[in-house]
């Protein structure tokens, strides 16, 4: 079985799509939750998928034929989302002083359908609440560049219940040159893994969020 972010939708996408990497576009907003002790306790993702991908993903979901997608109809797809994302470490890397902070499986998740786009909401609890370190960074990125993340301007990162002296800064990813983009464009839709040289280049597309507490 092809590895996929959303198994049902990717199966349809692979059967018909001919566009280049990336194949799925996500408008993302991130949130780091803090506990009563001022430690980071969870990462909350809000990812809105593009209209083309949404159209594939929702095929056949309107079980009662009423022309709407209820929470009950969307929940099985939400479950597939978060279970598939586990294989990719949820496209999430929180590092404190150079060490990755491990996360648990999502504690809550759901999908919303509005204006022809699906939005996935899910929360990853940290295995151990962790204080912001001297260097603390959050990256949300698909290293195989199948999914491209675009962070919503002025809403890329929110710190919830953080100590007053904590701030977050969003740094956009680097742009790839025309030669690398042309090579990515030549990769077929059903090739999930990038060649090593392209994977290294694509890794520079990771946006980085920095958290500091003075």
């Amino acid at each position: 079985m092809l590895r996929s972010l959303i198994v049902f939708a990717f199966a349809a996408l692979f059967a018909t799509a001919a566009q280049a990497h990336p194949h799925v576009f996500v408008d993302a907003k991130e949130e780091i939750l803090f506990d009563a002790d001022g430690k980071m306790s969870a990462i909350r993702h809000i990812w809105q998928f593009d209209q083309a991908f949404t159209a594939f993903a929702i095929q056949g979901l309107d079980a009662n034929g009423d022309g709407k997608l209820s929470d009950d109809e969307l929940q099985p797809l939400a479950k597939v989302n978060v279970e598939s994302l586990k294989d990719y470490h949820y496209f999430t890397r929180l590092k404190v002083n150079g060490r990755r902070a491990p996360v648990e499986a999502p504690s809550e998740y759901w999908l919303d359908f509005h204006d022809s786009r699906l939005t996935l909401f899910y929360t990853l609890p940290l295995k151990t609440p962790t204080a912001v370190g001297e260097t603390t960074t959050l990256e949300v990125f698909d290293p195989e560049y199948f999914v491209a993340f675009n962070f919503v301007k002025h809403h890329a990162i929110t710190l919830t219940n953080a100590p007053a002296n904590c701030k977050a800064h969003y740094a956009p990813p680097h742009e790839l040159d025309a030669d690398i983009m042309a090579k990515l464009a030549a990769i077929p839709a059903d090739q999930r893994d990038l060649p090593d040289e392209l994977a290294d280049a694509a890794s520079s597309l990771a946006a980085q969020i920095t958290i500091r507490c003075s």
Side-chain angles (χ1 to χ4, degrees), residues 90-208:
Y90 303 99
F91 294 155
T92 303
R93 181 165 58 184
L94 177 66
K95 296 181 74 175
V96 179
N97 297 335
R99 290 192 171 188
R100 191 164 187 161
V103 298
E104 303 279 8
S107 58
E108 58 177 0
Y109 57 86
W110 70 92
L111 277 168
D112 178 67
F113 179 66
H114 183 69
D115 287 341
S116 301
R117 297 180 70 179
L118 281 172
T119 302
L120 174 65
F121 300 78
Y122 73 102
T123 301
L124 294 173
L126 272 62
K127 286 189 175 181
T128 303
T130 304
V132 172
E134 185 175 343
T135 60
T136 301
T137 58
L138 172 66
E139 291 182 351
V140 178
F141 174 62
D142 175 8
E144 296 170 356
Y145 199 41
F146 194 92
V147 181
F149 287 91
N150 173 54
F151 289 84
V152 178
K153 191 175 182 180
H154 305 307
H155 297 283
I157 179 65
T158 300
L159 303 182
T160 299
N161 298 325
N165 63 334
C166 294
K167 306 294 180 185
H169 174 72
Y170 164 70
H174 299 289
E175 293 186 3
L176 294 181
D177 61 37
D179 179 60
I180 294 296
M181 291 301 293
K183 290 178 180 178
L184 287 169
I187 296 175
D190 58 355
Q191 182 176 335
R192 188 64 172 85
D193 298 328
L194 296 181
D196 289 343
E197 67 276 12
L198 292 183
D200 290 342
S203 67
S204 69
L205 291 172
Q208 189 170 88

Side-chain angles (χ1 to χ4, degrees), residues 24-136:
V24 181
F25 297 86
V26 172
D27 290 332
K29 293 190 286 187
E30 305 300 327
E31 185 177 354
I32 296 181
L33 283 63
F34 288 72
D35 64 14
D37 295 324
K39 294 182 177 181
M40 298 179 292
S41 59
I43 303 164
R44 180 172 292 149
H45 296 291
I46 304 172
W47 295 352
Q48 187 174 57
F49 298 99
D50 63 86
Q51 289 188 358
F53 181 72
T54 295
F56 282 109
I58 65 174
Q59 290 183 48
L61 293 186
D62 184 13
N64 60 12
D66 65 355
K68 301 176 183 179
L69 291 175
S70 67
D71 292 344
D72 287 344
E73 289 169 332
L74 288 170
Q75 188 60 20
L77 183 58
K79 186 174 187 291
V80 170
N81 270 248
V82 297
E83 290 181 350
S84 298
L85 281 164
K86 182 179 180 181
D87 294 336
Y88 304 94
H89 303 287
Y90 303 99
F91 294 155
T92 303
R93 181 165 58 184
L94 177 66
K95 296 181 74 175
V96 179
N97 297 335
R99 290 192 171 188
R100 191 164 187 161
V103 298
E104 303 279 8
S107 58
E108 58 177 0
Y109 57 86
W110 70 92
L111 277 168
D112 178 67
F113 179 66
H114 183 69
D115 287 341
S116 301
R117 297 180 70 179
L118 281 172
T119 302
L120 174 65
F121 300 78
Y122 73 102
T123 301
L124 294 173
L126 272 62
K127 286 189 175 181
T128 303
T130 304
V132 172
E134 185 175 343
T135 60
T136 301

